[in-house]
Amino acid sequence: MKRLLIKGGRVIDPASGIDGIFNVYAVGGKIAAVKPHVQTPDSGPQSDDWDIIDAAGLIVCPGFIDMHTHLREPGYEYKETIQTGTMAAAAGGFTSVACMANTNPVNDNASVTRYILKKAAEEAVVKVFPVGAISKELKGEMLAEIGELKEAGCVAISDDGRPVISSALMRLALEYAKPFGLLVISHSEDIGLAADGVMNEGLISTKLGLKGIPNAKEDIMVARDIALAELTGARLHIAHISTKGAVELVRNAKQRGVNVTAEVTPHHFTLTDEAVVGYNTNTKMNPPLRTKDDIDAIKIGLQDGTIDAVVTDHAPQSIDEKDVEFDNAANGIVGLETALPLLLRLVSEGVISLSALIEKLSANPAKLLRLGGKGKLRVGADADITVIDLNKEWVVDAKNLKSKSRNTPFDGWKMKGRVVKTIVRGKVVYEW
Amino acid sequence: MRLKRKDILTIEDLDRDEIGLILSTAESFKEVSDREIKKVPTLRGRTIINLFYEASTRTRTSFEIAAKRMSADAINISASSSSVVKGETLKDTAKNLEAMNPDCIVLRHPSSGTPQILSRLLRCSVINAGDGAHEHPSQALLDLLTVKQRFGKINGLKVAIVGDIAHSRVARSNIYGFIKLGARVSVAGPPTMMPSGIDKMGCGVCYNVEDAILDADVIMMLRIQLERQNGCLFPTAREYSRLFGLDSKKLEKAKKDVVILHPGPINRGIEISSDVADGEYSLILNQVKNGVAVRMALFYLLLGGSRE
Ligand SMILES: [Zn+2]
């Protein structure tokens, strides 16, 4: 029986309301006990029975759960694989990732889900939870086999990468998913409003001569999706919220009792559209980097609970897809390995507490995806644990990322705070 | 004199003194084009590649003639005749061209920012000959030269730029250029052709052409891209021409010594009527002539040694 003791760290477990110096005991991959740390030499287990991690001065918290990752396998193994993507996850403190369905073939039927889970069982470093497609081949025409996707192990459905353009189909998806208890994750954009936009619309896009994407492109679809969630009573989750208006729409809907939740990525509140000046294609993503006004609204949304979860939208792209003209470059950035220090800036700025941040990285995603036994350090829960050194300073070097792709706008950034150990089911899978 | 920079990518990057130097250098090169033997040996042995990913007879020819009058070797590569159509990436094209050791690449590209990206990949000079809706610096420089020749100054003039500002690289470069040299710039056209935040670029915005040209010293009409109207920025060419085009009736309200510019090629009867385009206020052919001088100056100031 594997036995692990994490000794003397500041344990923060929002799900149990714990924040203090504790010892965490894990046996057989499960949390066996969380006990106050007493500094007497002969109390506690002996080192030959237990693997002991001295966590003095470190944060010990439930392993992070990324609700929004693109692992790219099957089909785009040149960008990322289940193995490399989960290695990147481990390096970022994520012990579980939910992988989006826009693979090739699309994860729109149980056989693809089973393939992903089989590969994950063989090669993944952290736990993989597939997200199934809403529509067949992400075409937005016919529902995917949502019931079978759920049976095969999908934890949510989403056509992420593109919106469900037809309101009728989105309504059907919400209704149909309801009895299965599946979260419907919406990539909300009104494509037609600015189909060829490549960055946020505003002074910067005008100066750069790049086609703009107005906030309304997102706001319109979020408003529609909320109306449909209200109509159906289903569980709607807004992916990668980026605009002030969308935050406001979600806040109002929640106040009315609509079953809607939302997530945000670190880059959407760290960078503005000014980062695009110079045409670095690693600043191209969808939704695009917005403005300070939007960032301020997102921060308030994180503060007041409008935004439930923080996700990476880890979107690996090969150098050949990024090292081209800005218009022709692929969207997205890798995010798993840079998320935590960017998020910790919110804590040092006083936007949210460390505990609230950890909640949005663990307990809340576990709740939204209904992952029993995850996102908490309670006795009997999976021993998925992340250990953080808040003061560790380091520099991002894209060359050294665990991900197979290097598309990060944060290359060379000086970061403070990093994951020093990632533990999945009682086993250390990453060490700094 | 040389410019202390490797590339000419934008007017936004250039300061007042650099623009002044380019204009005075261009002025001194103008007479070369009036000689019987239209050639100076200044850039003998230099290689200039015109790399055009977009058709543009006028701009390409102007750069080519400028290079040849400086005795440089000029090679033209256009998207249709190169490996571009076979799907070679910009980076590969750049590296292959670099391997042939050119001194300067003149790039025209439909995607904004591509000259910047290319300039970071290449050791040789890059001149932006127009990128997407971003900038067209040599056009703005020749416009500035044309206006300066007529008025003897730029400072204090009022310039109205009329048309599709949103999609115009000429507009952006001219807004920067004229404002840097002390002119007041206003842009005019239907709101569907005004890009977001344009008022924050230091120019006035107006939706009525009569108002815009009322006290203008310079009216710059932009080409309407009829072929690009898939988004239908205006209802019909007829309505555009009547409301936003420049004709002699609208011109009656303008200043007596007003001048009219157009970057060409013009759509006669749409953004500008024939009588105005060919009339006494038009400096359109001066622009073309100055284009060669400005491009000679750019080559000289980037590549040249001492001038005899
Ligand atoms: Zn998405």
Side-chain angles (χ1 to χ4, degrees), chain A residues 267-348:
Chain A
H267 46 275
H268 281 116
F269 56 75
T270 303
L271 298 172
T272 65
D273 59 356
E274 292 188 33
V276 184
V277 173
Y279 302 93
N280 177 355
T281 56
N282 286 331
T283 61
K284 183 178 175 186
M285 63 250 333
N286 187 24
L289 298 170
R290 299 287 188 185
T291 65
K292 186 171 178 301
D293 262 9
D294 299 295
I295 289 180
D296 290 345
I298 286 168
K299 286 179 176 172
I300 295 169
L302 282 162
Q303 225 164 43
D304 70 8
T306 301
I307 300 171
D308 307 83
V310 180
V311 303
T312 68
D313 194 5
H314 180 78
Q317 304 288 10
S318 78
I319 184 88
D320 297 333
E321 292 160 315
K322 280 292 193 183
D323 219 351
V324 294
E325 299 86 345
F326 198 89
D327 284 339
N328 300 337
N331 281 313
I333 63 169
V334 291
L336 287 163
E337 295 168 76
T338 50
L340 178 70
L342 298 174
L343 292 165
L344 288 173
R345 290 153 64 117
L346 292 177
V347 177
S348 51

Side-chain angles (χ1 to χ4, degrees), chain A residues 206-207 209 278 323 325 327, chain B residues 91 109 111-112 120 134 172 196:
Chain A
T206 291
K207 283 178 139 187
D323 219 351
E325 299 86 345
D327 284 339
Chain B
K91 199 176 154 189
H109 201 286
S111 287
S112 299
R120 292 194 289 258
H134 180 220
R172 283 168 181 74
S196 175

Side-chain angles (χ1 to χ4, degrees), chain B residues 136-243:
Chain B
H136 193 350
S138 63
Q139 176 71 43
L141 291 164
L142 72 87
D143 291 338
L144 289 165
L145 182 62
T146 306
V147 171
K148 195 167 177 236
Q149 282 165 358
R150 171 55 63 99
F151 292 97
K153 59 168 189 175
I154 301 288
N155 192 33
L157 295 179
K158 192 168 175 296
V159 180
I161 305 177
V162 182
D164 187 358
I165 310 298
H167 296 98
S168 175
R169 52 192 169 217
V170 174
R172 283 168 181 74
S173 287
N174 270 305
I175 289 169
Y176 286 123
F178 277 98
I179 289 176
K180 279 181 195 215
L181 297 193
R184 282 181 302 141
V185 177
S186 61
V187 293
T192 49
M193 290 178 165
M194 291 297 153
S196 175
I198 184 72
D199 51 311
K200 297 187 197 90
M201 283 181 71
C203 51
V205 179
C206 112
Y207 304 118
N208 180 304
V209 174
E210 276 99 337
D211 292 349
I213 66 175
L214 199 61
D215 56 350
D217 301 292
V218 178
I219 303 171
M220 185 180 300
M221 300 306 293
L222 299 176
R223 175 178 168 79
I224 292 304
Q225 304 265 344
L226 292 165
E227 64 274 29
R228 188 160 54 189
Q229 297 313 322
N230 55 346
C232 299
L233 301 179
F234 51 83
T236 58
R238 197 188 68 83
E239 175 159 317
Y240 184 87
S241 158
R242 202 170 75 73
L243 298 180

Side-chain angles (χ1 to χ4, degrees), chain A residues 68 70 159-162 186-188 239-240 286-287 313:
Chain A
H68 195 140
H70 297 271
D159 273 4
D160 185 60
R162 53 178 81 166
S186 174
H187 169 118
S188 303
H240 42 54
N286 187 24
D313 194 5

Side-chain angles (χ1 to χ4, degrees), chain B residues 294-308:
Chain B
V294 157
R295 287 159 183 137
M296 287 169 79
L298 291 179
F299 288 139
Y300 173 71
L301 291 168
L302 287 181
L303 313 177
S306 59
R307 188 170 165 238
E308 76 280 81

